[in-house]
Amino acid sequence: QKLAVNSSASNKEKRDKLHIYTIMDADTEQEAQLNKIQSMKAAVHFTVGRICEEVGVELEMSFSKQVIATLTEITFKQLETYTKDLEAFSKHGRRTTITADDVKLLVRRNKQL
């Protein structure tokens, strides 16, 4: 009977450890996702900053850090919207890959593009 109790306790320990590992995996996955988003935002911020520098030279003006940060946020939010739209278009077409046709549909919605 002691063997059954130990076996039961062992199974409970295994379940507990598995639960802890599952939580740790989810936390690690969330951290990785956040790091990925932060890296993308940093890349967009860098690019927006470079564009502002180039435009500033042409127009003989400068852009404040707040303006660059705001432009970065607006750009990133717009890219998120485009991404969701492109995903929706490909899912509607029962595809797992975004194609040039999806991009054409996206551009059609915005006459400026």
Side-chain angles (χ1 to χ4, degrees):
Q1 197 170 7
K2 282 186 178 182
L3 182 59
V5 170
N6 288 341
S7 175
S8 173
S10 177
N11 285 338
K12 183 180 180 332
E13 287 174 10
K14 287 179 184 176
R15 282 193 310 272
D16 289 346
K17 284 181 183 178
L18 180 60
H19 180 70
I20 290 169
Y21 289 136
T22 303
I23 291 170
M24 288 172 57
D25 287 347
D27 288 346
T28 304
E29 201 171 301
Q30 283 179 334
E31 257 183 59
Q33 185 67 16
L34 284 175
N35 287 338
K36 188 176 179 181
I37 291 170
Q38 286 175 336
S39 293
M40 287 187 285
K41 281 188 178 184
V44 170
H45 183 75
F46 176 79
T47 304
V48 167
R50 289 292 177 150
I51 292 169
C52 286
E53 283 179 20
E54 290 176 19
V55 170
V57 168
E58 286 179 28
L59 300 177
E60 296 179 3
M61 62 184 307
S62 62
F63 294 87
S64 71
K65 290 180 181 181
Q66 292 86 1
V67 169
I68 294 171
T70 302
L71 288 172
T72 298
E73 268 309 304
I74 291 168
T75 303
F76 198 81
K77 292 289 182 191
Q78 190 63 50
L79 289 171
E80 286 179 322
T81 301
Y82 288 162
T83 301
K84 289 175 187 174
D85 287 348
L86 289 168
E87 287 175 354
F89 295 154
S90 72
K91 282 182 184 178
H92 180 74
R94 295 187 177 129
R95 291 176 277 102
T96 56
T97 303
I98 294 170
T99 65
D101 288 338
D102 299 320
V103 176
K104 288 176 186 175
L105 280 172
L106 178 72
V107 172
R108 274 178 152 180
R109 291 181 47 188
N110 188 342
K111 293 180 183 180
Q112 296 173 358
L113 297 176

